[in-house]
Amino acid sequence: MEFTRKNRQLLSRIATNDRHGENSPYFDGWKAYDSNPFHPIHNPDGVIQMGLAENPLCFDLIEKWIRENPDASICTAEGLDKFKDIAIYQDYHGLREFREAVAKLMGRVGGNRVTFDPNRIVMSGGATGANETAIFCLADPGDAFLVPSPYYAGFARDLRWRTGVEIVPVHCKSSNNFRITRAALEEAYEKAQRSNINIKGVIITNPSNPLGTVLDKETLRSLVSFVTDKKIHLVSDEIYAATVFSSPRFISVAEVMQDMDCNRDLIHIIYSLSKDMGFPGFRVGIVYSFNDDVTNCARKMSSFGLVSSQTQFLLASMLSDDEFVGNFLRESSKRLAKRRHVFTKGLEEVGISTIKSNAGLFFWMDMRPLLKEQTTKAETELWRVIINKVKLNVSPGSSFHCSEPGWFRVCFANMDDKTVEVALDRIREFVLQGKEENNHEADKSQGRAQRWRKQNLRLSFSSSRLYDESLMSPHMISPHSPIPHSPLVRART
Amino acid sequence: MVSMSKIATGNGHGENSPYFDGWKAYETNPFHPIDRPDGVIQMGLAENQLCFEFIKKWLMEHPEASLCTAEGVNRFKETALFQDYHGMPEFRQAVAKFMGKVRGDRVKFDPDRIVMSGGATGAHEMVAFCLADPGEALLVPTPYYPGFDRDLRWRTGVELVPVICESSHNFQITRTAMEAAYEKAQEANLKVKGLLITNPSNPLGTTMDRETLKSIVKFINEKNIHLIGDEIYAATVFKDPEFVSISEVIQEVECNHDLIHIVYSLSKDMGFPGFRVGIVYSYNDAVVNCARKMSSYGLVSSQTQHLIATMLNDDDFLHNFIMESKEQLFKRHKYFTWSLSQVGIGSLKSNGGLFIWMDLRKLLKEKTFDAEMDLWRVIINEVKLNVSPGSSFHCHEPGWFRVCFANMEDNTMEVALSRIRSFILKNNESIIPRKLCRRSSLKLSLSRSLSRRMDDFMSPAGIMSPHSPLPQSPLVRART
């Protein structure tokens, strides 16, 4: 936003700086989608939204449960007698049944290898609020957190904007499947120390956004011992825990702590129902800390973003239904697995590889062979081509602070089967067209992933006629909120 | 020891304030008419519980307002997925409409300026983050809601500078007081970024008159500082004078609209604190945009947005609810204040809010805050009423207490009143005026002892303060 000098003086520094992150090019894909959203009938040439990590695959199960359980609502005949008590309930401890139900869900999602204590469940305004609250509790302005990259684009805002805390990325490389190594952590830590940056902790996302992979026990143990040694915090964002759809299973940091010598006061978990259940609108964020002081502090801070008691009540009822939850988790995994497989296969057919993943609502696609050159600039150019020509809103790796250009996060769960087909068709066409435009020999695809010779492809995509000039104009590059007429538009991933 | 942030280890959360001791007394021994008739009655909670039957009736007739009924479940998925920080258009339209109606339709609110937040708590913090840097200050007239200390300061690092309001002026905000506070801040090297007013006032229960509001708008405009109007009690105004919003006043006074912001909520006006519906309404585009981005930290649950949108888009409901609420509050307030006056307890004349500002100065051993705290502990521990001492609201004068009246059933109110009566009779007989209600023998015995006490009452050394009810009419309210 352009600020007049007058406004700059009138408003706070926070209000006039860029740390809300919406000036990131990441949001340009949104705009392309908003101005031309795909619809199978009304707008079949529109942009398909593949930048939205949503989980809408199991609403049939949820709706069935809702119909069968009218007492879960305070507005039905069956539930109305609870309306008043719930409407006036603003205790920041949260409804006991709600906390118990969430604790139980977290336990189940971790394979019941850990029991979570309902008294440590603290509410927040979605995972967005939870992450910010954790940072407010643990770090002062100017302090920093180590964050393995690639990482969720929203962290730039959630961890930094109003807190004044910095992010120091720990760059992970494709050469070892983006593993978080002790060496990388140590190196990032030392480097920060030398620059007089005070590292207060590490934030990991497990399962990973954007990779869709889970951390193995070794890596988790290594992280826990790293933070214990350095006496810094470990915040584990586990909001994708129930999206694991194939082995290896999800292991929570809570599980790993159980048989390790470590300082429990350093360990905190962020949870949410936005991804696992598909309820981002309900703003259910959870801070779960093993540190009593942090729990108490976060609970006081939760006043700034409590979960609506109406929603607490509904979810307490839903998530206490063991049979429903078990069935839901199984079905959700199944459907995610199936959907992922459709994409994996479809992409393999045209020689596009993705990182092997078993979780999340997206895959991490390798487009490095298609880059003109291995630079972020080339990645951005390729991205604009994908948005404007292929008409898919995917998210470029640079928006996740990936240190290697050429990777893209593609969401696969937020659309119906027909749209999946259209998306795959477009990708196939794009890739094959790229091959045809080559004058040189290209390796023939045998159905297994193959790479083109880089220089051939670079030729075909360097043509400026593929760029939509309008996308480069200032008004499109403005950072702002999605265009209001699209009801399903969101401002975050 | 593990290192946490300064914010976490400091006292900025405000819960070490004695204000919370009353809560603890209540929590360990809460009153229940049957199970615990000797427990502490909660009169420290500004809740509006008087209209739930009305609301429930509407809900029965409008199953489509819920996502969980047969009529509403087809909207479940799209609503559960809706996380756009603009908020549902129907929700914003409904809130804008409600806000306008509450102001007699003298102002129109623009739905595109409606920004969500985590309750009024979240709204205040958000506004402070947008307008002030750490170390900068906001002026706040006293007495003020204790939660401001946390909401405006804790994580923002912003300071609060009190604008002292005195009982001699009915606690009204004067130009002199504002200037004095501004000067004081300058002397302390604090950059003042704005003035926050609560209108209707918590804890006073009074509304600001047009002149005062104009004077305030002129002041902030001259100083080029922001005006934040916390209007969360707007619909609780139950009698004249009518509520005047700053949104109306800025239509009449020259001022820079970029300085004007309103905080709203449904917690008090509708009685829905659990639903966490906070609203920031700013006339400054940059603030709207910034606040909207920040609202991600505390959006209103889409389930709740849907319910509220349906409810408040029903014009009949809107109109009738407002009338019903006013009526219930009026009745309850009238009965409560009259009953108190019968035992010589006065309160600031008020026309809104969910509480009264009770004048117990005559009961103080001495005019100090220590004496106020002593009296308070007696009220909590012996009378067993959780009321809130004026010092927790940063009142400049000891002896005032905020007492909530809308958060209980009629019979609980009776119990509270009888406890007050007993306490007064036992300990402070000299304040009871000659004439009392004619309803019981209690009155007879009191009036006998009263004729004696009238002399005490009239004596210069006694209670001849302008704040006691006049002896001849039981219906006279204490006025300052």
Side-chain angles (χ1 to χ4, degrees):
Chain A
M1 167 156 232
E2 286 306 306
F3 289 100
T4 57
R5 195 170 54 85
K6 201 166 173 226
N7 253 337
R8 275 194 189 278
Q9 289 164 355
L10 270 188
L11 307 184
S12 65
R13 283 192 289 268
I14 286 176
T16 49
N17 70 23
D18 265 357
R19 287 164 71 102
H20 49 69
E22 287 192 25
N23 292 348
S24 145
Y26 179 51
F27 287 90
D28 291 353
W30 288 96
K31 283 160 211 144
Y33 168 76
D34 284 339
S35 47
N36 184 20
F38 171 82
H39 186 279
I41 300 161
H42 305 311
N43 194 17
D45 293 324
V47 176
I48 297 179
Q49 178 61 279
M50 301 190 88
L52 195 43
E54 267 178 2
N55 186 3
L57 299 179
C58 290
F59 274 98
D60 55 327
L61 301 177
I62 291 172
E63 282 160 24
K64 178 167 178 289
W65 188 90
I66 298 266
R67 286 178 205 274
E68 292 167 4
N69 292 274
D71 53 357
S73 165
I74 51 177
C75 300
T76 53
E78 292 82 347
L80 204 54
D81 59 330
K82 306 251 184 20
F83 186 90
K84 174 178 163 178
D85 284 343
I86 298 297
I88 63 181
Y89 184 85
Q90 56 174 323
D91 183 347
Y92 63 22
H93 287 81
L95 288 174
R96 190 180 42 85
E97 307 78 28
F98 170 74
R99 287 183 285 113
E100 283 167 358
V102 172
K104 206 163 25 149
L105 176 69
M106 288 172 74
R108 284 188 85 145
V109 163
N112 283 326
R113 284 174 180 80
V114 191
T115 308
F116 288 89
D117 176 2
N119 293 326
R120 291 192 179 282
I121 299 277
V122 170
M123 298 179 286
S124 60
T128 303
N131 278 311
E132 190 195 46
T133 294
I135 298 298
F136 265 127
C137 289
L138 304 178
D140 293 324
D143 287 343
F145 264 73
L146 297 177
V147 190
S149 76
Y151 60 81
Y152 165 54
F155 277 164
R157 170 197 60 198
D158 301 347
L159 307 178
R160 299 184 326 147
W161 190 20
R162 306 191 307 182
T163 60
V165 168
E166 300 300 338
I167 291 178
V168 172
V170 179
H171 290 298
C172 302
K173 313 216 179 287
S174 60
S175 49
N176 65 348
N177 282 325
F178 298 98
R179 274 175 81 101
I180 305 168
T181 63
R182 179 83 183 224
L185 287 166
E186 291 282 2
E187 191 193 323
Y189 185 84
E190 299 305 322
K191 189 157 174 224
Q193 299 285 83
R194 286 196 300 273
S195 316
N196 268 325
I197 296 173
N198 186 23
I199 301 287
K200 286 309 281 288
V202 182
I203 300 213
I204 57 174
T205 307
N206 175 34
S208 162
N209 174 12
L211 304 174
T213 52
V214 296
L215 295 181
D216 57 40
K217 220 175 214 176
E218 274 324 294
T219 306
L220 283 163
R221 290 174 70 93
S222 158
L223 280 157
V224 172
S225 75
F226 174 75
V227 301
T228 302
D229 286 347
K230 302 280 190 266
K231 295 187 178 45
I232 61 179
H233 295 277
L234 178 61
V235 176
S236 179
D237 181 332
E238 302 188 345
I239 70 175
Y240 288 97
T243 66
V244 173
F245 51 78
S246 66
S247 67
R249 67 176 181 85
F250 168 68
I251 302 174
S252 167
V253 70
E255 185 184 330
V256 150
M257 278 165 69
Q258 283 174 154
D259 20 58
M260 270 187 82
D261 219 347
C262 68
N263 185 351
R264 297 168 70 86
D265 276 346
L266 297 171
I267 316 288
H268 325 276
I269 294 176
I270 302 294
Y271 191 57
S272 164
L273 300 184
S274 301
K275 311 296 177 183
D276 283 357
M277 300 289 308
F279 296 159
F282 292 172
R283 314 313 300 150
V284 182
I286 304 290
V287 176
Y288 188 101
S289 174
F290 290 92
N291 178 322
D292 291 347
D293 290 335
V294 173
T295 300
N296 284 324
C297 182
R299 191 184 285 125
K300 292 179 175 66
M301 289 185 178
S302 67
S303 297
F304 299 114
L306 295 170
V307 176
S308 167
S309 53
Q310 175 190 22
T311 303
Q312 287 184 51
F313 185 80
L314 169 65
L315 295 173
S317 186
M318 193 186 284
L319 301 178
S320 307
D321 183 337
D322 289 336
E323 202 186 315
F324 167 77
V325 172
N327 188 42
F328 177 90
L329 293 176
R330 273 189 302 275
E331 263 311 298
S332 179
S333 290
K334 240 174 36 186
R335 296 178 191 185
L336 286 169
K338 186 160 166 233
R339 183 55 76 79
R340 173 70 168 103
H341 181 69
V342 165
F343 270 101
T344 312
K345 232 163 120 299
L347 293 171
E348 274 175 3
E349 279 164 20
V350 288
I352 295 188
S353 66
T354 64
I355 207 168
K356 182 163 183 315
S357 65
N358 64 322
L361 307 171
F362 33 69
F363 51 82
W364 193 234
M365 186 167 71
D366 187 357
M367 301 287 263
R368 287 175 299 170
L370 278 68
L371 290 188
K372 244 185 4 227
E373 47 187 28
Q374 297 302 311
T375 61
T376 305
K377 187 159 175 286
E379 177 188 281
T380 306
E381 285 168 4
L382 176 57
W383 178 54
R384 292 194 196 286
V385 167
I386 298 175
I387 296 212
N388 294 316
K389 189 160 154 56
V390 194
K391 300 230 180 69
L392 301 177
N393 178 30
V394 299
S395 313
S398 52
S399 62
F400 296 89
H401 305 270
C402 186
S403 58
E404 301 171 23
W407 295 89
F408 289 78
R409 189 193 76 171
V410 184
C411 297
F412 61 76
N414 63 305
M415 59 192 72
D416 58 33
D417 291 333
K418 283 191 114 57
T419 311
V420 172
E421 283 312 315
V422 175
L424 279 169
D425 281 343
R426 290 184 185 180
I427 294 174
R428 274 184 213 113
E429 202 186 299
F430 167 64
V431 168
L432 295 174
Q433 198 179 48
K435 273 181 166 183
E436 276 168 22
E437 283 180 3
N438 274 337
N439 294 325
H440 300 270
E441 292 171 341
D443 295 340
K444 295 215 187 304
S445 175
Q446 301 294 328
R448 298 265 314 153
Q450 299 216 2
R451 289 164 176 265
W452 290 273
R453 275 176 230 144
K454 290 178 188 176
Q455 64 270 33
N456 296 335
L457 272 171
R458 276 182 237 133
L459 278 174
S460 53
F461 297 121
S462 63
S463 168
S464 59
R465 70 182 156 82
L466 295 176
Y467 297 168
D468 183 347
E469 293 294 321
S470 72
L471 197 60
M472 306 302 275
S473 76
H475 100 96
M476 273 306 281
I477 298 182
S478 98
H480 281 304
S481 355
I483 296 161
H485 63 252
S486 171
L488 294 179
V489 147
R490 296 151 40 298
R492 64 182 291 277
T493 28
Chain B
M1 255 309 289
V2 148
S3 159
M4 289 165 58
S5 65
K6 293 194 183 76
I7 284 175
T9 48
N11 269 333
H13 50 71
E15 289 192 24
N16 292 346
S17 143
Y19 178 52
F20 288 89
D21 290 354
W23 288 94
K24 288 167 203 146
Y26 169 76
E27 268 158 29
T28 43
N29 185 21
F31 171 82
H32 185 278
I34 299 159
D35 303 331
R36 213 193 267 262
D38 293 323
V40 175
I41 297 179
Q42 178 61 280
M43 303 190 88
L45 196 44
E47 270 175 7
N48 185 355
Q49 291 193 22
L50 305 180
C51 288
F52 278 103
E53 287 315 310
F54 184 84
I55 289 170
K56 279 156 67 171
K57 179 166 176 292
W58 185 91
L59 287 168
M60 283 300 316
E61 294 163 5
H62 293 86
E64 73 281 8
S66 165
L67 299 176
C68 301
T69 54
E71 292 82 348
V73 72
N74 58 329
R75 309 278 305 263
F76 190 94
K77 174 176 170 178
E78 112 195 28
T79 307
L81 292 173
F82 185 86
Q83 57 174 313
D84 182 354
Y85 63 22
H86 287 81
M88 291 177 181
E90 319 81 72
F91 171 75
R92 287 183 284 110
Q93 279 154 16
V95 171
K97 209 171 8 164
F98 184 60
M99 288 172 73
K101 266 271 167 310
V102 166
R103 290 153 183 75
D105 283 327
R106 294 181 297 275
V107 196
K108 260 187 105 61
F109 288 89
D110 177 0
D112 292 337
R113 291 190 180 281
I114 300 275
V115 173
M116 299 178 285
S117 60
T121 303
H124 278 296
E125 188 193 48
M126 198 150 88
V127 170
F129 267 126
C130 288
L131 304 182
D133 292 330
E136 294 182 337
L138 294 174
L139 303 179
V140 192
T142 66
Y144 64 78
Y145 165 58
F148 281 161
D149 291 330
R150 169 197 62 195
D151 301 348
L152 300 167
R153 297 184 324 160
W154 190 19
R155 306 191 306 182
T156 61
V158 168
E159 302 289 348
L160 296 184
V161 173
V163 175
I164 311 288
C165 301
E166 318 252 344
S167 60
S168 49
H169 288 108
N170 286 333
F171 295 98
Q172 280 174 10
I173 303 168
T174 62
R175 177 83 187 213
T176 314
M178 288 189 286
E179 292 281 6
Y182 190 86
E183 291 303 311
K184 193 139 180 249
Q186 305 278 77
E187 280 157 27
N189 265 325
L190 286 173
K191 177 151 194 243
V192 176
K193 287 309 280 287
L195 168 69
L196 165 65
I197 59 174
T198 307
N199 175 34
S201 162
N202 174 13
L204 306 174
T206 53
T207 52
M208 291 183 196
D209 59 49
R210 213 169 274 270
E211 281 322 298
T212 305
L213 285 165
K214 283 184 175 169
S215 155
I216 289 171
V217 170
K218 288 200 182 93
F219 174 78
I220 59 105
N221 199 52
E222 276 165 31
K223 300 275 189 271
N224 198 33
I225 61 176
H226 294 278
L227 177 59
I228 305 159
D230 178 337
E231 301 192 342
I232 69 175
Y233 289 96
T236 67
V237 175
F238 48 78
K239 66 177 184 185
D240 281 346
E242 183 175 63
F243 172 62
V244 178
S245 162
I246 54 175
S247 55
E248 284 176 64
V249 168
I250 61 173
Q251 288 175 151
E252 301 160 24
V253 171
E254 263 302 302
C255 82
N256 178 2
H257 285 208
D258 275 348
L259 298 172
I260 313 291
H261 325 274
I262 294 177
V263 166
Y264 190 56
S265 164
L266 298 184
S267 301
K268 310 298 178 180
D269 281 356
M270 301 222 48
F272 294 161
F275 292 171
R276 314 314 300 150
V277 182
I279 303 290
V280 172
Y281 188 98
S282 174
Y283 289 87
N284 179 322
D285 291 348
V287 173
V288 171
N289 282 315
C290 180
R292 194 185 281 127
K293 291 179 176 66
M294 287 186 180
S295 68
S296 297
Y297 300 115
L299 295 171
V300 176
S301 167
S302 54
Q303 177 189 22
T304 301
Q305 287 186 52
H306 176 81
L307 170 67
I308 299 297
T310 315
M311 204 181 267
L312 300 183
N313 270 321
D314 179 340
D315 289 335
D316 284 337
F317 172 83
L318 254 195
H319 176 78
N320 294 331
F321 174 82
I322 293 174
M323 304 274 52
E324 173 73 11
S325 180
K326 273 181 171 20
E327 199 185 307
Q328 295 296 333
L329 287 168
F330 175 80
K331 275 184 355 209
R332 181 58 77 82
H333 174 268
K334 183 169 172 182
Y335 179 63
F336 189 54
T337 47
W338 175 79
S339 307
L340 289 176
S341 71
Q342 295 306 294
V343 288
I345 295 184
S347 57
L348 184 71
K349 182 170 181 289
S350 64
N351 61 323
L354 307 172
F355 31 70
I356 57 161
W357 191 232
M358 188 165 70
D359 183 358
L360 296 185
R361 287 177 295 171
K362 336 179 249 276
L363 300 184
L364 292 187
K365 268 191 326 253
E366 46 184 29
K367 288 195 185 338
T368 64
F369 288 108
D370 279 342
E372 179 186 280
M373 291 310 280
D374 288 341
L375 175 57
W376 180 55
R377 290 191 203 291
V378 165
I379 298 175
I380 298 220
N381 297 317
E382 288 179 27
V383 193
K384 300 229 181 69
L385 302 176
N386 179 30
V387 299
S388 314
S391 49
S392 64
F393 296 87
H394 302 276
C395 186
H396 197 57
E397 306 164 32
W400 295 88
F401 290 78
R402 189 193 77 170
V403 185
C404 298
F405 59 73
N407 63 310
M408 61 189 72
E409 309 278 315
D410 288 334
N411 44 17
T412 309
M413 166 115 309
E414 289 298 345
V415 175
L417 284 167
S418 69
R419 288 183 187 181
I420 294 174
R421 275 185 213 112
S422 317
F423 171 67
I424 295 292
L425 293 176
K426 215 169 54 165
N427 298 293
N428 298 281
E429 301 160 328
S430 59
I431 67 161
I432 296 172
R434 191 202 299 273
K435 290 232 169 113
L436 282 180
C437 65
R438 307 177 195 298
R439 289 187 301 182
S440 63
S441 57
L442 175 67
K443 181 258 312 177
L444 285 171
S445 60
L446 284 169
S447 58
R448 251 181 270 125
S449 40
L450 270 183
S451 47
R452 204 166 33 83
R453 281 187 283 279
M454 206 48 216
D455 296 334
D456 291 340
F457 182 79
M458 296 307 277
S459 81
I463 308 92
M464 195 61 174
S465 87
H467 310 292
S468 335
L470 295 172
Q472 58 270 38
S473 164
L475 291 176
V476 159
R477 302 281 176 266
R479 301 188 58 123
T480 31

